[in-house]
Amino acid sequence: MRKNLFIVALAAGILTFSSCASKKDLENCRNENNQLTNDYQNAKETIAANNARIKSLEDQLAQAKESAAALQGSLDRSLNNANSNNINISKLVDQINESNQYIRHLVEVKSKSDSLNLVLTNNLTRSLSKDELKEVDVQVLKGVVYISLADNMLYQTGSYEVNSRAEQTLSKIAKIISDYKDYDVLVEGNTDDVPINTSNAKMKNIRNNWDLSCLRAASVVQYLQDHFGVNPKRLTAGGRGEYNPIASNDTELGKQRNRRTQIIITPKLDQFMDLIGEAPETKQAK
């Protein structure tokens, strides 16, 4: 009898130990899975930024090659007509070299601008939550950062007033804007092609979608200034009504995509032109 009791107790102990070990293994697997998920998300973001950088460099290289080909064509024509037109080939070669040097300078300036914008985009994307990223689209196009926000996350229903739900997202965008003080910010409102409901009390003084898009952009600008202290001298509000769609208004999904507000962040034009104007020094042709 004692022997049987000992065997039962031993079996119970083994089961308890096995259960504890299984729970610990499960917890370790969960922790490892969470770590792998975070690493995967970070890798995706890094790859996206690198792909955008590669595309920008490829475009710049194509432009430089086109300019070099055009200059080479000019040299070839000059060589063919040298005897009849008495062209100074040496001077033309110097001009080509100067032009090539200036092209390289422009590529460096553009690369610098693109790199800053990629860093800006990366910082903003990393600060947004997964839920926010579902309603916020961030892109870099031709050296300009476009942040597109859905209207239902920004405004109260049937209104142009910014709702409380948008505060957290706008606070992260405002921080990026404040960190990059040499950038200007354009807030641009867009609508679908459905006429506004003038019977709505909140819309009674609004004439059309032009008015609505402008008022919504102005509300975001005011919110960035009043709540987060963004310098109003850097801000511009504008509306494009229904005339800048990114999808067809024939479907509800298309209309939803067109009802958006874009925050466009770009280097100040005068500073960018100053960079371009700083052409490299070249030898004067004799």
Side-chain angles (χ1 to χ4, degrees):
M1 181 67 177
R2 290 180 179 176
K3 184 178 182 180
N4 291 338
L5 289 174
F6 174 75
I7 292 172
V8 171
L10 180 60
I14 292 172
L15 289 173
T16 301
F17 177 78
S18 175
S19 175
C20 292
S22 298
K23 288 181 180 179
K24 185 176 181 181
D25 290 341
L26 179 60
E27 183 64 25
N28 289 337
C29 287
R30 285 176 176 167
N31 292 336
E32 185 177 351
N33 182 62
N34 290 338
Q35 181 61 43
L36 289 172
T37 301
N38 291 335
D39 292 343
Y40 174 69
Q41 182 63 29
N42 290 337
K44 282 178 64 179
E45 293 171 357
T46 301
I47 290 171
N50 287 339
N51 286 340
R53 174 73 175 138
I54 290 170
K55 179 62 170 62
S56 173
L57 291 174
E58 287 176 345
D59 291 343
Q60 294 166 19
L61 179 59
Q63 293 174 3
K65 285 182 177 179
E66 290 177 3
S67 298
L71 290 168
Q72 187 62 49
S74 176
L75 176 58
D76 291 340
R77 288 191 296 272
S78 299
L79 287 170
N80 292 334
N81 299 316
N83 292 332
S84 58
N85 298 323
N86 194 26
I87 293 177
N88 188 333
I89 301 301
S90 177
K91 181 178 179 180
L92 182 58
V93 170
D94 288 341
Q95 291 174 349
I96 292 173
N97 290 334
E98 291 173 9
S99 297
N100 286 337
Q101 192 173 357
Y102 190 58
I103 289 170
R104 287 194 295 272
H105 171 72
L106 292 179
V107 170
E108 290 172 1
V109 170
K110 190 175 186 301
S111 296
K112 179 181 178 182
S113 173
D114 289 346
S115 297
L116 287 172
N117 285 335
L118 285 172
V119 171
L120 184 155
T121 303
N122 227 11
N123 289 346
L124 177 59
T125 302
R126 288 178 181 273
S127 71
L128 296 174
S129 67
K130 291 182 180 178
D131 289 336
E132 288 172 320
L133 286 172
K134 293 177 182 177
E135 297 179 299
V136 180
D137 181 43
V138 184
Q139 296 184 35
V140 176
L141 300 173
K142 297 182 179 179
V144 178
V145 178
Y146 292 84
I147 306 170
S148 185
L149 302 99
D151 70 329
N152 57 358
M153 79 163 292
L154 279 180
Y155 310 107
Q156 300 173 12
T157 303
S159 170
Y160 54 84
E161 297 293 339
V162 176
N163 62 33
S164 57
R165 178 170 169 252
E167 180 174 2
Q168 185 176 3
T169 302
L170 288 178
S171 69
K172 295 173 182 179
I173 295 173
K175 184 180 185 310
I176 292 293
I177 293 173
S178 298
D179 288 344
Y180 290 82
K181 300 183 184 299
D182 292 333
Y183 284 60
D184 281 329
V185 181
L186 168 64
V187 180
E188 181 183 277
N190 295 268
T191 71
D192 57 26
D193 64 350
V194 178
I196 62 171
N197 181 10
T198 54
S199 63
N200 185 333
K202 296 178 181 179
M203 299 287 194
K204 64 180 181 179
N205 293 324
I206 300 176
R207 294 169 297 180
N208 48 41
N209 284 332
W210 274 114
D211 281 359
L212 178 61
S213 64
C214 291
L215 286 169
R216 284 184 165 178
S219 292
V220 173
V221 164
Q222 194 108 28
Y223 201 91
L224 291 172
Q225 177 186 352
D226 295 344
H227 288 74
F228 307 114
V230 177
N231 186 348
K233 293 181 179 180
R234 299 173 57 200
L235 299 171
T236 301
R240 303 190 69 174
E242 64 200 68
Y243 302 105
N244 186 36
I246 57 174
S248 171
N249 281 305
D250 295 334
T251 65
E252 285 302 318
L253 180 61
K255 290 177 182 177
Q256 181 179 342
R257 291 189 62 198
N258 290 333
R259 295 192 300 268
R260 69 199 188 280
T261 296
Q262 284 191 313
I263 298 178
I264 303 170
I265 307 176
T266 181
K268 291 183 178 179
L269 183 60
D270 55 347
Q271 294 181 356
F272 187 70
M273 294 306 293
D274 286 344
L275 282 174
I276 293 177
E278 294 174 1
E281 295 183 1
T282 57
K283 297 180 180 179
Q284 296 293 324
K286 297 180 180 180

